[in-house]
Amino acid sequence: MMKFTRRVALALTAAALVSPALAADKITLRMSTPASDTDQRSVALEEIFAPAVADFATYEPHYNGSLIKQGAELESIASGDLEMSIASAQELAQFFPEFSIFATGYVHQDAEHQVRVFNDPLMDPFKEKAEAELGVKLLTVMYLGRRHVNLRQTKEELTVNTPDDLAGINLRMPGTDAWQFLGKALGANPTPMAFTEVYTALQTGSVDGQDNPLPTVVDAKFYEVTNQIALTSHLVDLNYVALSKAAWDALTPEQQATMQEAADAAAASAREKQLQKEADLVAFLESEGLEIYEPNLEAFREHVQAQYVGSEFAKSWPEGVLAEINALGN
Ligand code: KDO
């Protein structure tokens, strides 16, 4: 984990690089993500966000982790080497462990719940800390989808009904502590790996499986190298559109309002499309030969939640916030 003092120093350096005097000039927003250009979040930012801010900002997306490797984006924003990313709560938890509450299995219930939580005052101290100590402004929340367990094994070889069935299964999870904890909480043997390496790892059998929402399984073509999906819905996953606070501060209030609106509109559009894809893609994946089924969800929910109770992560959650999140649910 990065040291507090270094974080502050990096944020201050970045702030000094972009002065408000530049507000009349166009700023460049370098955005880095491990996602592809056809991912719905990428598409919405390019088609909705970019044109809306084009008068005062040039949006410059970099896909497939080609500019900054997955997981290093926030540090790059803090040091002034990047202006934007599609950040996960798990990545923020690397700096501020309390963000793990938004990365915990079976906490968010659906896409609308994510939006209510993000816009609720309960989020303010989280947002303020990321701004003040990392120089990162969380602009809006994007819906990635329901993460499920996607394996190379056929259902005949391995039927996943409860977490016990995942014992010994090498499940690729993204490479931060919060992700690895979730993989273990599912009952699997989590293996950290960057998103861009997952297809080959599945193809060669160096991992048994991975977890992602159906639209990602299709977009990244994981269905070509796997045989089943157990619909565990263990995480209703989100990302934040993360922006350099220094870049934000260089804008006029009018430009800031335009940018905020643009980010919210892009997120809303991507959310609708992603939800539609989740509903539609089961048939496509089945036609590709994958077996898709629901395991014992109660068994998964109980097991996952039990792992978090009393964990180091749970100890970092501010008092009462879990209850507030739950109260915003259905
Ligand atoms: C992944 O690495 O599995 C993950 O789904 C994690 C998300 O937080 C998100 O960053 C996503 O990858 C990438 O954007 C690729 O879709």
Side-chain angles (χ1 to χ4, degrees):
M1 197 181 297
M2 217 174 149
K3 287 248 164 55
F4 176 85
T5 44
R6 181 158 145 70
R7 277 200 320 259
V8 174
L10 289 172
L12 292 177
T13 313
L17 289 176
V18 186
S19 88
L22 290 179
D25 300 331
K26 262 199 187 195
I27 57 169
T28 297
L29 300 175
R30 290 166 295 177
M31 196 285 291
S32 185
T33 175
S36 72
D37 59 340
T38 49
D39 180 291
Q40 290 311 307
R41 295 161 300 164
S42 308
V43 171
L45 286 173
E46 209 160 321
E47 291 183 354
I48 297 172
F49 176 81
V53 299
D55 281 349
F56 57 90
T58 305
Y59 179 66
E60 191 187 287
H62 298 266
Y63 301 114
N64 303 310
S66 59
L67 184 63
I68 308 285
K69 69 175 171 42
Q70 184 178 28
E73 298 92 344
L74 290 171
E75 191 171 351
S76 298
I77 294 177
S79 62
D81 294 328
L82 186 71
E83 286 74 39
M84 276 179 83
S85 78
I86 304 176
S88 65
Q90 291 84 347
E91 287 160 357
L92 279 144
Q94 290 284 98
F95 299 91
F96 313 111
E98 62 267 37
F99 266 91
S100 61
I101 199 166
F102 308 115
T104 294
Y106 299 107
V107 165
H108 283 114
Q109 297 176 1
D110 55 29
E112 291 311 315
H113 188 201
Q114 288 179 352
V115 177
R116 284 197 293 275
V117 170
F118 185 79
N119 292 325
D120 192 85
L122 78 84
M123 228 14 238
D124 291 348
F126 292 86
K127 291 173 182 166
E128 282 159 16
K129 204 164 182 183
E131 283 184 30
E133 297 186 21
L134 197 58
V136 168
K137 182 174 173 62
L138 304 180
L139 264 184
T140 195
V141 66
M142 284 192 144
Y143 177 69
L144 183 57
R146 290 174 181 274
R147 295 180 85 98
H148 305 299
V149 172
N150 173 210
L151 300 176
R152 296 177 79 233
Q153 285 88 343
T154 62
K155 193 175 175 220
E156 204 182 3
E157 289 166 337
L158 172 67
T159 301
V160 179
N161 195 35
T162 70
D164 283 349
D165 299 316
L166 289 176
I169 290 295
N170 289 321
L171 188 68
R172 175 273 169 178
M173 301 290 291
T176 71
D177 298 345
W179 281 116
Q180 296 298 299
F181 190 90
L182 178 59
K184 226 180 254 163
L186 283 168
N189 181 23
T191 306
M193 186 180 291
F195 182 76
T196 43
E197 290 165 24
V198 178
Y199 183 96
T200 308
L202 290 168
Q203 192 175 38
T204 59
S206 67
V207 292
D208 294 310
Q210 65 90 33
D211 84 307
N212 255 299
L214 301 186
T216 305
V217 171
V218 173
D219 192 59
K221 299 199 165 43
F222 295 152
Y223 64 87
E224 292 178 350
V225 284
T226 55
N227 287 300
Q228 64 157 294
I229 298 177
L231 296 170
T232 44
S233 290
H234 52 271
L235 186 68
V236 180
D237 203 9
L238 59 77
N239 291 110
Y240 305 113
V241 175
L243 177 76
S244 150
K245 173 80 165 51
W248 175 259
D249 288 343
L251 301 175
T252 66
E254 293 73 28
Q255 290 168 339
Q256 288 177 344
T258 302
M259 184 172 282
Q260 183 62 61
E261 214 173 288
D264 288 337
S269 161
R271 185 176 308 119
E272 284 321 304
K273 289 198 180 144
Q274 199 78 339
L275 284 165
Q276 193 58 52
K277 276 183 177 284
E278 281 186 301
D280 294 346
L281 287 176
V282 173
F284 168 77
L285 289 164
E286 282 175 344
S287 77
E288 290 293 322
L290 273 82
E291 289 171 284
I292 303 185
Y293 60 98
E294 205 165 271
N296 182 337
L297 283 181
E298 230 6 81
F300 270 100
R301 187 177 295 112
E302 267 176 31
H303 188 265
V304 168
Q305 287 178 340
Q307 308 310 304
Y308 281 93
V309 175
S311 69
E312 281 307 309
F313 284 119
K315 283 182 197 147
S316 73
W317 301 344
E319 180 107 31
V321 172
L322 184 59
E324 289 179 69
I325 295 173
N326 289 337
L328 292 168
N330 300 315

